[in-house]
Amino acid sequence: MARQRILSGIQPTGDLHLGNYLGALRNWVDLQKDYDCFLFMADLHAITVPHDPTVLAENTYKTAAIYLAAGIDVDTVSTIFVQSHVTAHSELGWLLTCITPLNWLQDMVQFKEKAIRQGEKVGAGLLCYPALQAADILLYEPDKVPVGEDQKQHLELTRDITIRMNDQFGTPDDPVLKMPEPMIRKEGARIMSLTDGSKKMSKSDPSDLSRINLLDPPELIQKKVKKCKTDPARGLEFDNPDRPECHNLLSLYMLMSNQTKKAVAEECREMGWGQFKPLLAETIVEGLRPIQEKYHEIRGDEGYLESVLQRGQEKANAIAHQTLSKVKQAMGYTIPS
Ligand code: TYM
């Protein structure tokens, strides 16, 4: 039986952080055992908020190198590509934008949050972005789409757009698009900010102290952990709604040390912050060390990275082009021979 396929991506805006790693990238690495993986850098999404053209390409390369350094294996089961290198994304994105009701897009929480931050300058791309995300997914007919919790609503929208396309332009026996399934793991799906345990860790938080970036040097990781928000209660525990920071920091320790929740709860029950913080910092530093070393090795050979992205573009393009042609035909376009 053919192996099933997963598809996912990360926006190359700023540095990838522990939320991106534990909510997405690390799961992709594991999933390679069972799935063929199509993983991309969502650079078309990166311009839905004001962006700096002098760093866009660098951030895209950086993200690709981090995928490889974390263990994405492009020699066997995985394909890494740049979204803008496969033009079918923009094209299907437009076709899906046209069949998506405006109020579906206006209901997206991420749109509302980011739009508020931008005020009157908000671009229409920020609103239409989830239809492009639906195109990113549907082009590759994946079986599963592994993401963090914050992408759940976009995945539900993708499923609604699929139903709409199939109802309007397909038949029950011959649907135009394949229905994708989200895959959201419980552990790591929502890593919170280091400065506020009620907000998710995010690239767009103005304070760099709120997150640990995958390429932060050890001294900076130690500083961020030392300064992170805690509480005055004694002893450390999971799942106390009055102690969101405590739950988040214990979860980070559990995930980065690859221990069970039970083992961590027992180990840390009697600890104070003064004992726990250095332990957490050291665990994160050691967990990220091999990724950082590999990252610098990969960045030392830009020719290799170029060749990975070139191969990725060719493989992704072949699949994406087929799906796009099918949709265009179903919608009544002529296809030049
Ligand atoms: P982005 O770039 O914001 O995040 C990339 C991945 O990281 C996960 N993530 C988190 N997981 C746990 N805790 C956090 N604090 C945290 N922050 C981010 C996200 O859930 C995501 O899985 N729109 C997407 C990119 C995208 C995409 C796609 C994803 C574009 N097209 C198609 C999947 C399929 C985004 O902005 O993710």
Side-chain angles (χ1 to χ4, degrees), residues 201-219:
M201 187 178 284
S202 159
K203 297 185 207 110
S204 52
D205 191 312
S207 167
D208 192 51
L209 288 177
S210 70
R211 59 188 161 258
I212 292 190
N213 302 309
L214 301 186
L215 298 178
D216 280 346
E219 317 75 64

Side-chain angles (χ1 to χ4, degrees), residues 82-140:
V82 183
Q83 184 187 27
S84 64
H85 290 181
V86 181
T87 54
H89 288 250
S90 310
E91 210 174 334
L92 184 61
W94 173 248
L95 301 178
L96 298 183
T97 300
C98 291
I99 67 155
T100 304
L102 187 57
N103 64 324
W104 290 9
L105 296 170
Q106 285 165 330
D107 281 348
M108 293 294 112
V109 172
Q110 286 216 347
F111 167 70
K112 290 185 202 163
E113 286 174 358
K114 289 193 180 171
I116 288 171
R117 262 184 256 146
Q118 284 186 56
E120 286 180 3
K121 285 190 287 229
V122 60
L126 194 64
L127 178 70
C128 299
Y129 158 130
L132 177 61
Q133 179 159 349
D136 300 336
I137 295 169
L138 295 166
L139 281 172
Y140 299 91

Side-chain angles (χ1 to χ4, degrees), residues 7-13 17-25 28 40 42 45 83 110 114 129 132-134 136-137 145-152 154-155 188-193 199-203:
L7 174 290
S8 201
I10 297 181
Q11 282 195 50
T13 34
H17 52 68
L18 272 186
N20 299 130
Y21 180 57
L22 298 171
L25 180 52
W28 305 347
F40 68 101
H45 290 272
Q83 184 187 27
Q110 286 216 347
K114 289 193 180 171
Y129 158 130
L132 177 61
Q133 179 159 349
D136 300 336
I137 295 169
V145 184
V147 285
E149 181 72 33
D150 61 342
Q151 293 300 318
K152 193 166 172 222
H154 289 163
L155 267 291
R190 196 165 167 79
I191 301 295
M192 309 310 272
S193 156
K199 272 182 16 197
K200 69 166 187 172
M201 187 178 284
S202 159
K203 297 185 207 110

